[in-house]
Amino acid sequence: MTKETALSVPVALTIAGSDSGGGAGIQADLRTFAFHCVHGTSAITCVTAQNTLGVNRVDPLPVAAVVAQIQAVVTDIGVQATKTGMLLNQEIILAVAQQVTELKITNLVVDPVMVSRTGAQLIDDGAIVCLRDRLIPQATIVTPNRYEAQILSGCQIESLADMQAAAQRIHKLGTPAVLVKGGGMSGDLRGVDVWFDGEQLLSLTTSVVETTNTHGTGCTLAAAIAANLAQGKDLLTAVQKAKDYVTTALNYGLSIGKGQGPVGHFFPLIAHNNRAI
């Protein structure tokens, strides 16, 4: 293809950890960007040894290496949206926050990876404070799960009213919009996320998919929001389309490994291949 006929596409950046099992992190983000016809770029913060059964090892990259990756992408290629995932420690979080300021990064989707859906804390208290005080105020939207929302808001979350109160408190940290995810809730609140942008307090509901292959749903949702923002969609529309994408991907979850498989990021291809077989 000649330069004159080369295609111009939106670009998104993910700043997150690498998942050797391919279900979450950088790998899930890049698949999600590609599905949405957005060119994916990346800055890897840490390398994990993990599979469908769990995480066996995590090695952080040097802060200078993380910064160099971000600068290399933004100063040359440019990005229309950025998503952060696992930032791992206080030093990396602070460095990323500084780059967001210095490089004037916009359309920033912060998935505040602090606590797993089962309630296990993934980063230390100092890193949580840095994420709350330095990065979240620069975010366009923050997408905490139940337990992360509890930490950020100081609210115990057991009900829809609790989710709503948490979203409103987190909004006061300085971010324009908050999406408190209900994936870790039970009963009628499964599949219900709460949106708050300072004006609208909405319950966004999708159908519940009964599957154990849910690895990477949080990463995928945040990446899909970023991809839709890179395409120029407004924030609420980006969130709604991202939720629909994740729900469909859950319907095509991959039964691989001995544990929790990932969602099917390229579900049209998966469905087509299964029909061909």
Side-chain angles (χ1 to χ4, degrees):
M1 182 178 289
T2 66
K3 185 175 181 180
E4 288 72 24
T5 58
L7 301 176
S8 176
V9 296
V11 177
L13 167 66
T14 171
I15 307 171
S18 169
D19 174 359
S20 59
I26 291 286
Q27 288 81 355
D29 296 343
L30 294 178
R31 288 195 185 100
T32 301
F33 293 161
F35 177 90
H36 289 83
C37 299
V38 170
H39 178 70
T41 60
S42 63
I44 299 175
T45 58
C46 59
V47 176
T48 71
Q50 65 175 291
N51 51 32
T52 64
L53 297 174
V55 179
N56 301 320
R57 179 181 173 121
V58 180
D59 291 288
L61 264 70
V63 171
V66 177
V67 170
Q69 291 174 84
I70 297 170
Q71 291 179 345
V73 171
V74 176
T75 58
D76 172 41
I77 302 170
V79 296
Q80 282 71 61
T82 299
K83 174 255 179 184
T84 66
M86 170 58 82
L87 301 180
L88 195 62
N89 60 43
Q90 186 172 348
E91 292 75 22
I92 292 175
I93 293 169
L94 180 59
V96 170
Q98 290 174 334
Q99 290 306 302
V100 170
T101 300
E102 293 175 11
L103 298 173
K104 297 180 173 58
I105 292 174
T106 59
N107 284 334
L108 177 65
V109 181
V110 172
D111 182 12
V113 182
M114 304 185 297
V115 185
S116 71
R117 287 177 76 180
T118 61
Q121 187 167 318
L122 303 174
I123 61 177
D124 65 31
D125 291 341
I128 289 174
V129 171
C130 189
L131 184 69
R132 182 195 67 200
D133 295 346
R134 299 299 301 272
L135 188 61
I136 287 178
Q138 299 190 75
T140 303
I141 183 170
V142 181
T143 62
N145 63 28
R146 173 189 184 180
Y147 299 105
E148 291 159 348
Q150 285 183 162
I151 291 175
L152 292 173
S153 68
C155 300
Q156 189 68 24
I157 299 177
E158 302 291 343
S159 65
L160 178 61
D162 294 337
M163 293 174 71
Q164 293 171 332
Q168 290 171 303
R169 287 196 182 189
I170 295 169
H171 182 265
K172 292 180 180 179
L173 296 176
T175 180
V178 180
L179 186 73
V180 175
K181 299 178 294 190
M185 303 297 286
S186 59
D188 293 340
L189 290 180
R190 286 183 63 199
V192 178
D193 298 339
V194 170
W195 157 279
F196 184 63
D197 63 356
E199 296 181 359
Q200 295 186 89
L201 183 62
L202 305 174
S203 296
L204 305 180
T205 304
T206 53
S207 59
V208 175
V209 180
E210 298 296 342
T211 177
T212 58
N213 299 319
T214 60
H215 185 51
T217 50
C219 304
T220 300
L221 177 68
I225 294 171
N228 279 285
L229 289 175
Q231 292 174 333
K233 295 180 178 64
D234 67 84
L235 188 53
L236 182 55
T237 298
V239 168
Q240 292 169 324
K241 285 186 173 295
K243 281 177 60 65
D244 290 342
Y245 169 70
V246 171
T247 299
T248 306
L250 281 166
N251 273 300
Y252 290 91
L254 306 184
S255 183
I256 58 174
K258 300 174 183 177
Q260 184 185 53
V263 302
H265 294 95
F266 290 115
F267 50 78
L269 296 178
I270 295 169
H272 175 76
N273 185 62
N274 285 345
R275 285 194 298 268
I277 294 173

